[in-house]
Amino acid sequence: MPYYIGDVIASEKKLIARTPEAFEKSGIRERLNTEAEEVDENKGEVRLRTGERIPYDILVFATGASVTMPPVPGLDLPGVHVLKTLPDALSIKEAIGSGKVKKAAVIGAGFIAMEMAEAFRTAGVEASLIQQAKLPVRRWDPDYATLVKEELVKHGVHCHPETSPKAVEKGVSSPLRVVTDRGEIDTDLLLVATGVRPETRLAETIGLAVGETRALRVNFSQETSREGVYAVGDCAEVFHRVSQSWTSLPLGDIANKQGRVAGSNIGGTPLLFPGVVGAQSFKVFDLQVAATGLDEGEAKQSGFTPVVEKVTGTPTARSMSRGERIHLKLIADRSTGRFLGAQAVGSRGTVSRINFLSAALWSGLKIDEIAYMDLAYSPPFGGAWDPVHIACHALMRQF
Ligand SMILES: Cc1cc2nc3c(=O)[nH]c(=O)nc-3n(C[C@H](O)[C@H](O)[C@H](O)COP(=O)(O)OP(=O)(O)OC[C@H]3O[C@@H](n4cnc5c(N)ncnc54)[C@H](O)[C@@H]3O)c2cc1C
């Protein structure tokens, strides 16, 4: 959606994975713009807001996640947006298209805030980021978050770190004014991007178990604490293969795979969801940003003793370098040498390194096994010793 708002994707039609007509053709009846309000387990029925009752033998919760709003008065004013659904994206795009939005402000500093800051700038709109922390994208190492911040500033984004919004009011020179503990920010449009929480309200009415993550507990077949009731996607927990614990990771690729696993089990072909290693990526202007596995804090929490190494390499052989850089951080366990996680920020080639490191995590490899791993080498795509090899060797010297 941010790429649609920033005009990189020209038509909203390209964002629709499957139309209602396509669903009908596959024998799936859609009921759009209605809400499932009640589940009657005794009768095996779901009651919709329209009053219609739908009988079921098997029930699947795929209720996603809901946007969390900070406790700031004025977030109901016209011009304040969230970005969760396609209609949200359409309304932001329409506001920009009206020509009345010259300035946009974003509350938040996660990946959606980053993508939207870029989208606003691409659409020719002045952009401000308001965030409580000192640096954006807290999942990443402060050195890497600093690079992200520098990239934002380089592209004209006004960053307001360590700033707490206190209220949103009608403005005088602009339609909106964000009152913060560090002054006022006038804006034509305000986007609130402060995160999501698993949407489990309906599931909880029938007593389904919720984990510490506040997402629905499931097993590897995607079945909830109740036999015959499944949960998939952002509303459900997922097993983290590195920490060996159940977690909540609201990401689209996970939701897709869990949906297929549940469908297969319901259809009679048993299938287990093998879990995740926490791979994630986003782009902000010319920077690729990615991570996989555990960070140091998570590693400690999971009982590991993390050893860390950071290196800076190039996405090509040095002889072909155009000054591009890949900054790569690896984390391993001191006692076993097991690879635990990686973070990277940089030019082209950054996400592909994290993807192959995700495969290494998936396989439970140790750092000394990755250090000599056979990777495709040719000068336009890297050196004979890839930044990943170099980071592994540097890390091994610490053992
Ligand atoms: C701007 C943006 C960018 C993103 N980019 C990425 C990305 O690059 N990579 C990535 O992996 N993930 C990304 N995500 C996350 C990804 O979109 C979600 O993880 C994914 O959509 C989750 O799918 P889901 O089916 O679990 O939930 P959803 O897609 O949220 O669908 C849940 C649906 O259930 C409906 N619902 C809830 N309760 C009820 C009820 N009681 N009755 C009827 N309907 C109900 C909701 O209205 C919604 O339509 C992004 C998300 C956003 C908002």
Side-chain angles (χ1 to χ4, degrees):
M1 291 186 284
Y3 298 103
Y4 166 66
I5 293 166
D7 268 342
V8 179
I9 298 172
S11 163
E12 73 270 18
K13 291 201 178 96
K14 296 207 168 166
L15 301 181
I16 298 169
R18 207 184 292 182
T19 59
E21 297 73 36
F23 273 113
E24 290 286 342
K25 266 194 193 157
S26 357
I28 299 166
R29 202 170 145 215
E30 262 200 284
R31 287 163 180 85
L32 289 174
N33 298 319
T34 188
E35 189 181 341
E37 282 190 333
E38 189 192 343
V39 175
D40 185 334
E41 285 196 282
N42 293 328
K43 290 189 183 156
E45 277 181 358
V46 176
R47 185 178 56 75
L48 305 185
R49 185 162 21 102
T50 54
E52 186 184 359
R53 289 173 177 273
I54 302 176
Y56 69 81
D57 296 317
I58 301 277
L59 186 60
V60 181
F61 282 90
T63 43
S66 305
V67 165
T68 53
M69 297 297 267
V72 172
L75 291 180
D76 51 352
L77 284 171
V80 179
H81 295 256
V82 294
L83 180 59
K84 184 71 182 76
T85 63
L86 187 54
D88 296 335
L90 293 175
S91 108
I92 296 171
K93 179 113 172 171
E94 192 186 316
I96 294 173
S98 73
K100 291 182 187 152
V101 176
K102 306 283 179 228
K103 289 189 276 189
V106 182
I107 301 179
F111 82 90
I112 292 176
M114 299 299 108
E115 291 179 349
M116 282 305 297
E118 178 181 337
F120 286 131
R121 296 300 294 131
T122 313
V125 173
E126 214 178 293
S128 298
L129 277 182
I130 304 165
Q131 61 168 110
Q132 279 176 334
K134 195 171 170 190
L135 290 167
V137 292
R138 65 175 171 191
R139 170 75 180 74
W140 277 263
D141 184 276
D143 287 346
Y144 294 178
T146 302
L147 293 172
V148 170
K149 185 177 171 188
E150 285 170 5
E151 186 72 5
L152 291 164
V153 172
K154 187 171 130 192
H155 288 86
V157 177
H158 309 295
C159 292
H160 299 271
E162 297 179 281
T163 302
S164 294
K166 296 292 172 202
V168 178
E169 299 169 348
K170 276 190 181 170
V172 182
S173 57
S174 304
L176 293 169
R177 167 169 295 167
V178 186
V179 182
T180 79
D181 56 352
R182 288 183 171 237
E184 292 167 351
I185 298 161
D186 286 334
T187 187
D188 302 320
L189 182 150
L190 177 66
L191 175 71
V192 182
T194 47
V196 293
R197 67 169 166 73
E199 178 49 71
T200 58
R201 281 174 292 186
L202 185 60
E204 286 185 73
T205 63
I206 59 164
L208 296 190
V210 169
E212 276 174 29
T213 62
R214 299 177 69 188
L216 295 173
R217 286 223 171 116
V218 287
N219 61 19
F220 290 97
S221 306
Q222 295 303 136
E223 206 168 18
T224 64
S225 54
R226 192 77 42 84
E227 206 183 328
V229 180
Y230 292 77
V232 296
D234 288 0
C235 68
E237 287 192 330
V238 62
F239 186 71
H240 199 297
R241 292 166 67 102
V242 186
S243 66
Q244 294 281 300
S245 61
W246 291 86
T247 186
S248 167
L249 261 180
L251 290 171
D253 56 323
I254 301 172
N256 266 279
K257 291 172 194 145
Q258 289 184 329
R260 176 155 314 184
V261 167
S264 184
N265 287 317
I266 293 165
T269 307
L271 192 60
L272 300 179
F273 184 61
V276 297
V277 292
Q280 50 199 286
S281 66
F282 68 90
K283 176 177 109 56
V284 56
F285 298 103
D286 300 324
L287 266 195
Q288 297 187 3
V289 186
T292 190
L294 309 179
D295 63 21
E296 290 133 285
E298 291 164 338
K300 278 183 197 154
Q301 260 178 15
S302 307
F304 297 109
T305 312
V307 200
V308 176
E309 185 63 52
K310 287 194 243 180
V311 300
T312 298
T314 55
T316 62
R318 285 204 179 264
S319 52
M320 291 187 78
S321 171
R322 298 192 306 236
E324 294 166 305
R325 294 282 177 265
I326 293 178
H327 304 272
L328 178 66
K329 171 176 173 175
L330 295 189
I331 302 161
D333 179 41
R334 183 177 291 287
S335 56
T336 59
R338 189 177 154 196
F339 172 46
L340 297 177
Q343 301 183 6
V345 174
S347 63
R348 66 200 160 104
T350 297
V351 173
S352 61
R353 264 76 182 184
I354 290 294
N355 273 339
F356 116 69
L357 284 168
S358 294
L361 270 183
W362 188 270
S363 312
L365 296 189
K366 293 181 178 179
I367 280 294
D368 58 353
E369 292 172 303
I370 308 169
Y372 287 93
M373 186 178 270
D374 186 20
L375 298 177
Y377 159 58
S378 81
F381 306 114
W385 292 97
D386 192 84
V388 169
H389 294 129
I390 295 165
C392 286
H393 283 274
L395 196 51
M396 278 155 59
R397 285 194 282 277
Q398 291 193 42
F399 282 88

